[in-house]
Amino acid sequence: MRDLVLAARLDISESLRARWFILYALIFGGLVVVLFMFGVTESRIMGFTGLSRLLIAYIQMCMAILPVFVLITTVRSVAGDREAGVFEYLLSLPVPLFAWFWGKSIGRFMVVFLPVFGAMILAALWGLVRGLDVPWEAVGFYGLLLVSLAWCFLGIGMLVSSLARSVDVAQGTAFMVWLVLLLFLDLILLGVMTRGQMPPETIIAISLINPMQVFRTAAMLLFDPELMLLGPAAYVILDAFGRIGYMVFSIVYPLLLGTACAAAGYGVFRRGDLP
Amino acid sequence: MIRLERLTKAFRQRRVLGEVSLDIARGDRIALVGSNGAGKTTLIRCLLGEYTYDGIVEVDGLSPRMHRQDVLAKIGFVPQLPPPLKMPVGELINFAASMCNSVPERMEAVSARLGLEVEGIRRQPFVKLSGGQKQKLLIGIALGRDCNILVMDEPAANLDPEARQVFFGLLGERQKDVTMLLSSHRLDEVAALVNRVIELDRGAVVLDDHVADTVDMRSILSCTVRLTRREEAFEKALGEWGFSTTAEGGGLEWGGQVAGPDRLRFLGVLSRYAGLLAGINLEDNSKKAEAAQ
């Protein structure tokens, strides 16, 4: 446990020094500031105003930015250290590989999750100061969704990073993974459905295994309980899971997927040549 | 203590080590020599459990792949190329000390003996240090902890003669209870430190020989060099070894001290200017003191 904490701390301080982290924190912090500045809290969409409106906009932007950012920065983790020649020395110290790999994963998770979550909490606190109603249920659920999404893509990133032998290959693969998941979002799936080339069950199954779609549907669920925006697929989802059931699924499934990917990455890392 | 049996390592189709078998006993001080690509670094990485391999590698009966932590707790390692770590020096020392069950002060004390004061560079990124500073710090970390095997890849390559002298002294302090594996592509760099030479060529052991073990690693030689005429390049080379002109030599006689294990390397430097040499005198201070007693 002590070794795991040490490895996590090492990765956190390494990340905090990196330029990508400054950019990352600025983007998410800046997003909240921009949303406030442009008066999103005062505007109205589908009956939503105040912080609910801001949170909806913020969470949609997170879905667009967070996965690719987490993937691109995480894949540098193992592949980058290996390519730079860091492993030969640091892994000659008596650090267990389990502690090293999972410590890095946990450290990186903290670094990618906290700015995103922190920006959301700051928005809620600022709203409180300005006398707006804070939808704590939405803040809590979106917080959990962000944990789940960040961990899922971090796990995928760690797997890609362990498999790739160079940073270039790792980043290219990560980008492809993100692109494929993006292509299988509901907008494109609906197009496929309309053309009638695939059975609806397949389309729905794909939307349920795509963590980005799961996140998107769950984010909609809070302000659109009937999932009207999603169209006919909503009936299947709500019939099969129910509202609460799907909310639980949307948190648990990406967490499990991320853990499974990270575990597979650890298996590859442990069994192969380290430097 | 260390047993390699039919150790084989290949990268895809390219075989880098081919059925290497060795037994290394406690107290062995080995020069692992060979040209570039001979397999020295690969052998070291197998020993550190960093590479997968065919065959057997055991340290005190334990496999470095299966019992990584137990094996690496016994091994102090200095790599040939310092890692490009961006972390500050202080953080690296703290991390290494925590992992090796040592204390940072011990590692810093060894570094200080080598001429590197950590206090002034604690917040500096490791990667920004000079080659010599990096080497001193890595040696400080390796020797500032408990271990009974020292694996060093070209350990003294970036050290100035003064630091080399201290380094040999540090090795001498531990030579009785520590097994050493010193890798180099030049035997003269490490010859005086070892009692066994293993030469690798294209992944196979081509020489495994015990050598005379008469050099005291802590010995210091007083040396006087007389020149036939002044020559700027030679004077610069002597200056780098910490030599200065003697009062009575009229600028043609230089005096200084050479670490015992470094004598071959020093003579190698002198040999480049053989035509300028009028005389050399090398005297072992410790032997002189013994004789006086």
Side-chain angles (χ1 to χ4, degrees), chain A residues 2-3 6-7 9-10 13-14 17 84-97 100 270-275, chain B residues 9 11 41 45 48-52 65 68-69 72-73 77 79 83-88 91 95 98-101 138 141:
Chain A
R2 185 192 67 115
D3 298 335
L6 281 171
R9 270 176 47 189
L10 198 70
S13 48
E14 197 81 24
R17 277 192 299 271
V86 168
F87 280 168
E88 185 197 27
Y89 183 67
L90 285 185
L91 294 182
S92 75
L93 298 171
V95 47
L97 291 183
W100 179 260
R270 190 169 57 93
R271 276 192 281 274
D273 290 339
L274 300 175
Chain B
K9 175 66 187 170
F11 295 101
T41 301
R45 287 178 177 181
L48 295 172
E50 294 182 335
Y51 277 161
T52 56
R65 290 290 293 184
R68 213 188 117 70
Q69 219 180 339
L72 293 179
F77 173 60
L85 297 170
K86 289 179 190 141
M87 69 175 85
E91 201 175 313
F95 180 73
S98 308
M99 285 297 167
C100 303
N101 287 322
L138 295 178
I141 290 172

Side-chain angles (χ1 to χ4, degrees), chain A residues 117-161:
Chain A
F117 185 65
M120 197 170 76
I121 291 297
L122 276 179
L125 292 177
W126 183 240
L128 212 61
V129 170
R130 289 182 55 185
L132 298 170
D133 279 338
V134 179
W136 288 111
E137 187 202 351
V139 171
F141 181 59
Y142 284 164
L144 287 174
L145 272 182
L146 288 175
V147 168
S148 183
L149 188 75
W151 180 254
C152 176
F153 280 89
L154 188 128
I156 295 171
M158 290 303 280
L159 172 61
V160 172
S161 191

